């Protein structure tokens, strides 16, 4: 196995573990699942460092670990949508390669835009799951799609904002973390 591939696999494992730890440090938790935490930060950081495929695989690993460590399952498709597919979607942040942007403002815009893409795909997974399998929790007379939209945006939007702020701070204070190391190890 070549050195770069090994480093990428090691980073993926470390970022998945860090994301799992961050997912347990919650700002608030929603009643039927979902919470605001820093789980997105390691996945997004890895995705902008290594690309979309490592980002998707890391998100997939995080989703599976969350499922195994206490997921709520009502149907096999819901299991896929709410855990591995939803977190794998965060890997789409890797559509942006930070090294292509020379100015700090452009890098910030790129990170926020890519984070928005990843969160929108994750939102689509949770939204669909909410309509199909969790519509029974909607208050009487409320449209199920509207309920799923409001419920999921209530925790995904704050989580995206917090993650974007953390990633922007990292970009400003330690930009070397956003690019893979080259020839650092002998």
């Amino acid at each position: 196995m070549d050195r770069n591939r090994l480093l990428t696999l090691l980073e993926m494992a470390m970022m998945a573990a860090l994301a799992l730890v961050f997912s347990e440090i919650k700002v608030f938790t929603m009643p039927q699942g979902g919470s605001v935490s820093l789980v997105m930060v390691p996945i997004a950081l890895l995705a902008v460092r290594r690309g979309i495929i490592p980002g998707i695989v890391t998100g997939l690993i995080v989703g599976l670990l969350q499922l195994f460590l206490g997921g709520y399952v009502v149907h096999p498709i819901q299991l896929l949508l709410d855990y591995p597919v939803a977190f794998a979607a965060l890997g789409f942040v890797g559509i942006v390669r930070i090294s292509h942007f020379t100015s700090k403002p452009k890098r910030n815009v790129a990170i926020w835009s890519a984070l928005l893409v990843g969160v929108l795909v994750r939102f689509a997974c949770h939204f669909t799951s909410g309509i199909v399998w969790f519509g029974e929790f909607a208050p009487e007379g409320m449209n199920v799609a509207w309920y799923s939209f409001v419920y999921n945006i209530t925790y995904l939007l704050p989580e995206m904002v917090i993650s974007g702020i953390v990633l922007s701070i990292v970009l400003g204070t330690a930009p070397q973390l956003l690019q893979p190391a080259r020839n650092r190890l002998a």
Side-chain angles (χ1 to χ4, degrees), residues 140-159:
E140 191 171 325
M142 182 180 228
N143 180 294
V144 174
W146 179 245
Y147 172 77
S148 183
F149 176 84
V150 170
Y151 183 91
N152 288 295
I153 206 73
T154 301
Y155 71 91
L156 284 174
L157 185 61
E159 188 169 37

Side-chain angles (χ1 to χ4, degrees), residues 13 22 29 31 47-48 59 72 76-77 92 100 102-104 106 111 118 120 124 142 153 159 165 175-176 182 185:
F22 283 177
T29 303
V48 297
Y72 180 75
I77 306 274
F92 282 103
H100 293 89
T102 54
S103 74
K104 188 175 171 181
K106 286 182 181 177
I111 284 179
L120 285 174
M142 182 180 228
I153 206 73
E159 188 169 37
I165 290 169
Q176 70 275 13
R182 300 271 189 252
L185 300 174

Side-chain angles (χ1 to χ4, degrees), residues 37-60:
S37 69
L38 292 175
V39 69
M40 286 191 221
V41 173
I43 300 167
L45 181 59
L46 179 96
V48 297
R49 282 175 59 91
R50 296 292 182 174
I52 196 166
I53 299 299
I56 288 171
V57 172
T58 302
L60 180 78

